[in-house]
């Protein structure tokens, strides 16, 4: 660890992103590692009827939900590093060999300005640091539509994101296989819309990774 990193840890000690306990180094505390709602082997990759495949290490509930909400709405940008590391491990285990490029689901310019960052971009950069590569900005959001978190019905979520994502000017994805990063997979509407834009631009394949899956009724049985 560099002197600069040691100084930063002294001034801003690393915390477990889930319980906020101070740690000696970035990561997850032993208690949370034992108690968090981890997805089981057969649950980690969710497959949609449209062919969407998304890997996530955790379920969106309890401390996991609270950690993601802090990241998205309460300025806890530092938690992206640990959450991204968990995603990187999950994607490497379940999606290895299925992608050669990493990008993310962008927020609107207005939302980015308000938050000061794009949480999915932070996660993508953390994922890529774990692998020694860099993500590529491929998509942009064309309007500041209502947050998906405020919509409960699947149809409303699909309608809310319809046509709001497009390729960035000059972005090139033809013939590439893309890993698309976001924070949560609820119904998959946002990931599906972004995947559509990437495939229409020539991507050979798109797979996805998130911090957490929101449970559906059949997941509770």
């Amino acid at each position: 660890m560099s002197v600069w990193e040691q100084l930063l840890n002294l001034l801003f000690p690393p915390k477990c992103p889930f319980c906020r306990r101070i740690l000696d180094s970035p990561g997850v505390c032993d208690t949370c590692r034992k108690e968090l709602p981890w997805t089981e082997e057969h649950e980690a990759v969710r497959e949609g009827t449209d062919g969407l495949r998304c890997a996530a290490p955790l379920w969106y509930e309890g401390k996991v939900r609270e950690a993601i909400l802090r990241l998205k709405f309460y300025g806890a940008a530092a938690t992206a590093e640990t959450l991204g590391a968990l995603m990187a491990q999950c994607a490497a285990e379940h999606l290895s060999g299925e992608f050669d490029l990493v990008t993310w689901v962008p927020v609107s310019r207005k939302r980015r300005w308000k938050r000061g960052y794009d949480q999915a971009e932070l996660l993508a950069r953390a994922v890529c640091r774990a692998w020694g590569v860099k993500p590529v900005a491929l998509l942009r959001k064309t309007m500041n539509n209502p947050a998906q978190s405020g919509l409960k019905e699947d149809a409303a979520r699909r309608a809310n994101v319809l046509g709001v994502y497009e390729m960035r000017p000059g972005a090139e994805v033809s013939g590439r296989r893309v890993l698309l990063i976001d924070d949560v997979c609820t119904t998959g509407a946002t990931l599906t819309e972004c995947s559509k834009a990437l495939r229409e631009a020539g991507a050979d394949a798109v797979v996805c990774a998130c911090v957490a899956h929101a449970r559906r009724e059949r997941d509770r049985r």
Side-chain angles (χ1 to χ4, degrees):
M1 184 181 294
S2 68
V3 174
W4 176 243
E5 288 174 322
Q6 292 180 45
L7 179 60
L8 283 177
N9 283 346
L10 182 63
L11 296 174
F12 307 100
K15 297 179 181 179
C16 173
F18 304 104
C19 69
R20 290 178 282 185
R21 181 178 301 167
I22 293 177
L23 304 175
D24 293 331
S25 59
V28 180
C29 74
D30 290 341
T31 299
C32 286
R33 190 167 290 278
K34 293 176 183 177
E35 297 179 353
L36 288 175
W38 301 97
T39 54
E40 299 291 338
E41 182 72 19
H42 66 285
E43 301 169 326
V45 178
R46 172 173 289 177
E47 299 191 9
T49 55
D50 53 4
L52 181 77
R53 299 180 68 244
C54 182
L58 293 156
W59 290 109
Y60 186 59
E61 57 193 35
K63 291 181 179 179
V64 176
R65 180 178 181 275
E66 292 169 6
I68 293 173
L69 292 177
R70 283 195 294 271
L71 169 63
K72 292 178 70 170
F73 302 116
Y74 299 101
T79 63
E81 199 65 30
T82 297
L83 299 178
L86 297 177
M87 293 170 64
Q89 182 178 349
C90 182
E93 290 175 359
H94 297 283
L95 302 174
S96 180
E98 297 187 38
F99 59 90
D100 48 50
L101 182 66
V102 180
T103 193
W104 63 90
V105 173
V107 297
S108 66
R109 287 199 296 179
K110 181 178 180 180
R111 199 159 291 166
R112 183 186 180 110
W113 177 85
K114 184 176 181 180
R115 291 179 185 172
Y117 56 84
D118 179 333
Q119 76 279 353
E121 179 182 357
L122 294 183
L123 291 170
R125 294 190 180 283
V127 167
C128 286
R129 270 191 290 274
W131 296 336
V133 297
K134 292 184 178 181
V136 180
L138 295 176
L139 297 165
R140 67 179 181 183
K141 196 170 187 181
T142 60
M143 65 181 71
N144 187 43
N145 61 327
Q148 289 287 82
S149 57
L151 304 173
K152 303 304 179 185
E153 299 296 326
D154 290 3
R157 284 174 168 265
R158 289 193 296 269
N160 189 48
V161 295
L162 191 62
V164 304
Y165 297 98
E166 65 181 17
M167 295 295 292
R168 294 168 63 98
E172 178 56 55
V173 75
S174 181
R176 306 299 294 274
R177 299 175 303 159
V178 181
L179 174 64
L180 178 63
I181 299 293
D182 203 4
D183 44 36
V184 179
C185 179
T186 306
T187 63
T190 299
L191 293 171
T192 296
E193 194 66 20
C194 288
S195 297
K196 178 182 176 183
L198 292 166
R199 290 196 301 268
E200 288 179 348
D204 272 0
V206 181
V207 291
C208 309
C210 295
V211 179
H213 290 313
R215 288 191 191 269
R216 299 170 295 192
E217 188 59 37
R218 61 178 174 271
D219 297 320
R220 303 177 188 278
R221 295 170 186 168

